[in-house]
Short mmCIF file of all heavy atoms in Angstrom, two decimals:
data_model
loop_
_atom_site.label_atom_id
_atom_site.label_comp_id
_atom_site.label_asym_id
_atom_site.label_seq_id
_atom_site.Cartn_x
_atom_site.Cartn_y
_atom_site.Cartn_z
N LEU A 108 5.19 23.81 15.70
CA LEU A 108 6.61 24.23 15.67
C LEU A 108 7.45 23.54 14.63
O LEU A 108 8.48 24.08 14.21
CB LEU A 108 7.24 24.00 17.06
CG LEU A 108 6.62 24.75 18.22
CD1 LEU A 108 7.27 24.33 19.54
CD2 LEU A 108 6.74 26.26 18.02
N VAL A 109 7.09 22.33 14.21
CA VAL A 109 8.02 21.49 13.47
C VAL A 109 7.46 21.11 12.10
O VAL A 109 6.31 20.68 12.01
CB VAL A 109 8.30 20.19 14.27
CG1 VAL A 109 9.04 19.19 13.44
CG2 VAL A 109 9.08 20.54 15.54
N GLU A 114 15.12 19.94 12.56
CA GLU A 114 15.80 19.04 13.50
C GLU A 114 15.20 19.17 14.90
O GLU A 114 15.01 20.26 15.44
CB GLU A 114 17.30 19.40 13.61
CG GLU A 114 18.02 18.40 14.50
CD GLU A 114 19.43 18.85 14.87
OE1 GLU A 114 19.56 19.86 15.59
OE2 GLU A 114 20.37 18.18 14.46
N VAL A 115 14.90 18.00 15.47
CA VAL A 115 14.37 17.92 16.84
C VAL A 115 15.30 17.05 17.66
O VAL A 115 15.61 15.92 17.24
CB VAL A 115 12.94 17.33 16.84
CG1 VAL A 115 12.42 17.15 18.26
CG2 VAL A 115 11.99 18.21 16.04
N VAL A 116 15.80 17.57 18.76
CA VAL A 116 16.63 16.77 19.66
C VAL A 116 15.76 16.27 20.78
O VAL A 116 15.05 17.07 21.44
CB VAL A 116 17.82 17.62 20.19
CG1 VAL A 116 18.60 16.83 21.26
CG2 VAL A 116 18.74 18.02 19.05
N VAL A 117 15.78 14.97 21.03
CA VAL A 117 14.96 14.37 22.09
C VAL A 117 15.86 13.69 23.11
O VAL A 117 16.73 12.88 22.74
CB VAL A 117 13.99 13.30 21.53
CG1 VAL A 117 13.00 12.85 22.60
CG2 VAL A 117 13.26 13.83 20.32
N LEU A 155 24.86 17.69 25.89
CA LEU A 155 23.55 18.05 25.36
C LEU A 155 23.57 19.42 24.73
O LEU A 155 23.09 19.65 23.61
CB LEU A 155 22.48 18.03 26.47
CG LEU A 155 21.09 18.52 26.06
CD1 LEU A 155 20.46 17.57 25.01
CD2 LEU A 155 20.15 18.65 27.25
N LEU A 156 24.24 20.37 25.43
CA LEU A 156 24.30 21.72 24.88
C LEU A 156 25.08 21.75 23.59
O LEU A 156 24.81 22.53 22.68
CB LEU A 156 24.92 22.70 25.92
CG LEU A 156 24.18 22.79 27.26
CD1 LEU A 156 24.76 23.89 28.13
CD2 LEU A 156 22.66 23.03 27.04
N THR A 158 24.97 19.40 21.42
CA THR A 158 24.11 18.79 20.39
C THR A 158 23.04 19.76 19.91
O THR A 158 22.61 19.69 18.76
CB THR A 158 23.45 17.51 20.99
OG1 THR A 158 24.46 16.66 21.50
CG2 THR A 158 22.61 16.77 19.97
N VAL A 159 22.61 20.65 20.79
CA VAL A 159 21.57 21.63 20.43
C VAL A 159 22.26 22.87 19.81
O VAL A 159 22.98 23.58 20.53
CB VAL A 159 20.75 22.02 21.67
CG1 VAL A 159 19.76 23.16 21.33
CG2 VAL A 159 19.99 20.82 22.21
N THR A 160 22.05 23.09 18.52
CA THR A 160 22.71 24.19 17.82
C THR A 160 21.66 25.12 17.21
O THR A 160 20.46 24.93 17.35
CB THR A 160 23.60 23.66 16.69
OG1 THR A 160 22.72 23.13 15.65
CG2 THR A 160 24.52 22.56 17.16
N GLU A 161 22.15 26.15 16.46
CA GLU A 161 21.22 27.08 15.78
C GLU A 161 20.31 26.32 14.81
O GLU A 161 19.23 26.80 14.43
CB GLU A 161 22.01 28.14 14.96
CG GLU A 161 22.65 29.22 15.78
CD GLU A 161 23.92 28.76 16.47
OE1 GLU A 161 24.42 27.66 16.15
OE2 GLU A 161 24.41 29.52 17.35
N ARG A 162 20.74 25.15 14.39
CA ARG A 162 19.91 24.36 13.45
C ARG A 162 18.83 23.57 14.16
O ARG A 162 17.96 23.00 13.52
CB ARG A 162 20.80 23.40 12.65
CG ARG A 162 21.70 24.08 11.61
CD ARG A 162 22.47 23.06 10.79
NE ARG A 162 23.21 22.14 11.63
CZ ARG A 162 24.38 22.42 12.21
NH1 ARG A 162 24.92 23.63 12.04
NH2 ARG A 162 25.02 21.52 12.96
N THR A 163 18.88 23.53 15.49
CA THR A 163 17.89 22.73 16.23
C THR A 163 16.62 23.54 16.43
O THR A 163 16.63 24.59 17.08
CB THR A 163 18.47 22.29 17.59
OG1 THR A 163 19.74 21.71 17.38
CG2 THR A 163 17.53 21.30 18.26
N ARG A 164 15.54 23.03 15.89
CA ARG A 164 14.25 23.74 16.00
C ARG A 164 13.64 23.53 17.40
O ARG A 164 13.14 24.47 17.99
CB ARG A 164 13.34 23.17 14.89
CG ARG A 164 12.02 23.80 14.80
CD ARG A 164 12.00 25.00 13.90
NE ARG A 164 10.64 25.52 13.87
CZ ARG A 164 10.32 26.79 14.06
NH1 ARG A 164 11.24 27.70 14.24
NH2 ARG A 164 9.05 27.16 14.06
N VAL A 165 13.67 22.29 17.84
CA VAL A 165 13.03 21.96 19.12
C VAL A 165 13.91 21.03 19.94
O VAL A 165 14.48 20.09 19.42
CB VAL A 165 11.65 21.28 18.90
CG1 VAL A 165 11.10 20.66 20.17
CG2 VAL A 165 10.62 22.24 18.32
N LEU A 166 13.99 21.33 21.22
CA LEU A 166 14.56 20.39 22.19
C LEU A 166 13.39 19.84 22.98
O LEU A 166 12.63 20.58 23.59
CB LEU A 166 15.54 21.10 23.14
CG LEU A 166 15.97 20.27 24.35
CD1 LEU A 166 16.73 19.01 23.94
CD2 LEU A 166 16.84 21.11 25.31
N LEU A 167 13.25 18.52 22.94
CA LEU A 167 12.12 17.86 23.57
C LEU A 167 12.64 17.09 24.77
O LEU A 167 13.48 16.22 24.64
CB LEU A 167 11.50 16.93 22.53
CG LEU A 167 10.23 16.13 22.81
CD1 LEU A 167 9.13 17.01 23.35
CD2 LEU A 167 9.77 15.44 21.54
N VAL A 168 12.12 17.46 25.95
CA VAL A 168 12.66 16.81 27.17
C VAL A 168 11.51 16.51 28.13
O VAL A 168 10.63 17.34 28.37
CB VAL A 168 13.77 17.68 27.81
CG1 VAL A 168 13.28 19.07 28.18
CG2 VAL A 168 14.38 16.99 29.00
N ILE A 187 20.09 25.08 30.22
CA ILE A 187 19.41 24.71 28.96
C ILE A 187 18.62 25.90 28.43
O ILE A 187 18.67 26.22 27.22
CB ILE A 187 18.48 23.47 29.21
CG1 ILE A 187 19.33 22.22 29.45
CG2 ILE A 187 17.54 23.27 28.03
CD1 ILE A 187 18.56 21.04 29.95
N LEU A 188 17.91 26.60 29.30
CA LEU A 188 17.12 27.74 28.86
C LEU A 188 18.03 28.84 28.29
O LEU A 188 17.76 29.38 27.18
CB LEU A 188 16.30 28.30 30.04
CG LEU A 188 15.39 29.48 29.74
CD1 LEU A 188 14.36 29.13 28.67
CD2 LEU A 188 14.71 29.96 31.00
N ALA A 189 19.13 29.11 28.97
CA ALA A 189 20.05 30.15 28.48
C ALA A 189 20.62 29.74 27.12
O ALA A 189 20.72 30.56 26.20
CB ALA A 189 21.18 30.36 29.51
N HIS A 190 20.98 28.48 26.98
CA HIS A 190 21.54 28.00 25.72
C HIS A 190 20.52 28.09 24.61
O HIS A 190 20.82 28.56 23.50
CB HIS A 190 22.00 26.55 25.90
CG HIS A 190 22.65 25.96 24.69
ND1 HIS A 190 23.96 26.22 24.31
CD2 HIS A 190 22.13 25.16 23.71
CE1 HIS A 190 24.23 25.58 23.18
NE2 HIS A 190 23.14 24.93 22.80
N CYS A 191 19.28 27.67 24.86
CA CYS A 191 18.25 27.68 23.82
C CYS A 191 17.85 29.11 23.45
O CYS A 191 17.44 29.35 22.32
CB CYS A 191 17.04 26.85 24.28
SG CYS A 191 17.40 25.07 24.26
N ARG A 192 18.00 30.05 24.38
CA ARG A 192 17.76 31.44 24.03
C ARG A 192 18.82 31.87 22.99
O ARG A 192 18.52 32.58 22.04
CB ARG A 192 17.89 32.34 25.26
CG ARG A 192 16.62 32.31 26.11
CD ARG A 192 16.85 33.14 27.39
NE ARG A 192 15.66 33.14 28.20
CZ ARG A 192 15.66 33.38 29.52
NH1 ARG A 192 16.80 33.65 30.16
NH2 ARG A 192 14.54 33.37 30.21
N ARG A 193 20.05 31.40 23.18
CA ARG A 193 21.14 31.77 22.26
C ARG A 193 20.91 31.13 20.89
O ARG A 193 21.12 31.77 19.87
CB ARG A 193 22.50 31.35 22.82
CG ARG A 193 23.03 32.28 23.90
CD ARG A 193 24.51 31.99 24.19
NE ARG A 193 24.71 30.67 24.78
CZ ARG A 193 24.60 30.39 26.08
NH1 ARG A 193 24.35 31.37 26.93
NH2 ARG A 193 24.82 29.18 26.55
N THR A 194 20.52 29.87 20.85
CA THR A 194 20.40 29.16 19.56
C THR A 194 19.06 29.39 18.89
O THR A 194 18.84 29.01 17.74
CB THR A 194 20.60 27.63 19.74
OG1 THR A 194 19.60 27.15 20.65
CG2 THR A 194 21.98 27.29 20.27
N GLY A 195 18.10 30.00 19.61
CA GLY A 195 16.76 30.21 19.05
C GLY A 195 15.92 28.95 19.03
O GLY A 195 14.94 28.85 18.28
N THR A 196 16.30 27.99 19.86
CA THR A 196 15.60 26.69 19.87
C THR A 196 14.40 26.71 20.81
O THR A 196 14.49 27.28 21.92
CB THR A 196 16.60 25.59 20.35
OG1 THR A 196 17.71 25.57 19.47
CG2 THR A 196 15.95 24.22 20.43
N TRP A 197 13.31 26.13 20.38
CA TRP A 197 12.14 25.96 21.25
C TRP A 197 12.39 24.81 22.23
O TRP A 197 12.95 23.78 21.83
CB TRP A 197 10.90 25.63 20.43
CG TRP A 197 10.27 26.82 19.78
CD1 TRP A 197 10.58 27.34 18.57
CD2 TRP A 197 9.20 27.61 20.31
NE1 TRP A 197 9.79 28.42 18.30
CE2 TRP A 197 8.91 28.62 19.33
CE3 TRP A 197 8.46 27.59 21.48
CZ2 TRP A 197 7.93 29.58 19.52
CZ3 TRP A 197 7.47 28.55 21.66
CH2 TRP A 197 7.21 29.53 20.70
N ILE A 198 11.98 25.01 23.45
CA ILE A 198 11.98 23.88 24.40
C ILE A 198 10.52 23.40 24.50
O ILE A 198 9.62 24.18 24.79
CB ILE A 198 12.45 24.33 25.78
CG1 ILE A 198 13.92 24.84 25.72
CG2 ILE A 198 12.34 23.19 26.80
CD1 ILE A 198 14.37 25.51 27.01
N VAL A 199 10.32 22.12 24.24
CA VAL A 199 9.02 21.51 24.54
C VAL A 199 9.24 20.61 25.74
O VAL A 199 9.98 19.60 25.67
CB VAL A 199 8.45 20.72 23.34
CG1 VAL A 199 7.17 20.00 23.75
CG2 VAL A 199 8.16 21.67 22.17
N PHE A 224 10.51 24.21 34.11
CA PHE A 224 10.89 25.38 33.30
C PHE A 224 9.95 26.55 33.58
O PHE A 224 10.31 27.70 33.37
CB PHE A 224 10.86 25.03 31.80
CG PHE A 224 12.08 24.25 31.35
CD1 PHE A 224 12.01 22.89 31.13
CD2 PHE A 224 13.29 24.91 31.15
CE1 PHE A 224 13.12 22.17 30.73
CE2 PHE A 224 14.41 24.20 30.74
CZ PHE A 224 14.34 22.83 30.53
N GLU A 231 7.70 35.34 27.24
CA GLU A 231 7.97 35.34 25.80
C GLU A 231 9.02 34.28 25.39
O GLU A 231 9.34 34.16 24.22
CB GLU A 231 8.39 36.75 25.31
CG GLU A 231 9.64 37.28 25.94
CD GLU A 231 9.42 37.87 27.34
OE1 GLU A 231 8.30 37.76 27.90
OE2 GLU A 231 10.41 38.40 27.91
N ASP A 232 9.55 33.54 26.35
CA ASP A 232 10.51 32.52 26.00
C ASP A 232 9.89 31.49 25.09
O ASP A 232 8.70 31.20 25.16
CB ASP A 232 11.03 31.81 27.28
CG ASP A 232 12.27 32.51 27.85
OD1 ASP A 232 13.14 32.86 27.03
OD2 ASP A 232 12.33 32.69 29.06
N ARG A 233 10.75 30.88 24.24
CA ARG A 233 10.28 29.84 23.33
C ARG A 233 10.13 28.53 24.10
O ARG A 233 10.97 27.64 24.01
CB ARG A 233 11.25 29.69 22.17
CG ARG A 233 11.28 30.91 21.31
CD ARG A 233 12.24 30.74 20.15
NE ARG A 233 12.11 31.91 19.26
CZ ARG A 233 12.75 32.05 18.12
NH1 ARG A 233 13.54 31.09 17.71
NH2 ARG A 233 12.57 33.13 17.38
N LEU A 234 9.05 28.45 24.85
CA LEU A 234 8.82 27.31 25.74
C LEU A 234 7.37 26.89 25.63
O LEU A 234 6.45 27.70 25.73
CB LEU A 234 9.13 27.72 27.19
CG LEU A 234 8.72 26.69 28.28
CD1 LEU A 234 9.61 25.45 28.21
CD2 LEU A 234 8.83 27.34 29.67
N VAL A 235 7.16 25.58 25.40
CA VAL A 235 5.82 25.01 25.50
C VAL A 235 5.89 23.90 26.55
O VAL A 235 6.76 23.04 26.47
CB VAL A 235 5.34 24.43 24.15
CG1 VAL A 235 3.92 23.86 24.31
CG2 VAL A 235 5.38 25.48 23.06
#
Side-chain angles (χ1 to χ4, degrees):
L108 299 176
V109 169
E114 185 192 65
V115 175
V116 173
V117 188
L155 175 65
L156 300 187
T158 304
V159 174
T160 69
E161 284 78 11
R162 289 185 305 282
T163 309
R164 182 88 179 130
V165 168
L166 168 63
L167 184 51
V168 59
I187 290 169
L188 181 60
H190 181 80
C191 288
R192 280 175 180 158
R193 281 193 294 274
T194 59
T196 301
W197 281 86
I198 298 170
V199 175
F224 282 102
E231 61 281 5
D232 270 317
R233 293 181 174 183
L234 170 69
V235 181

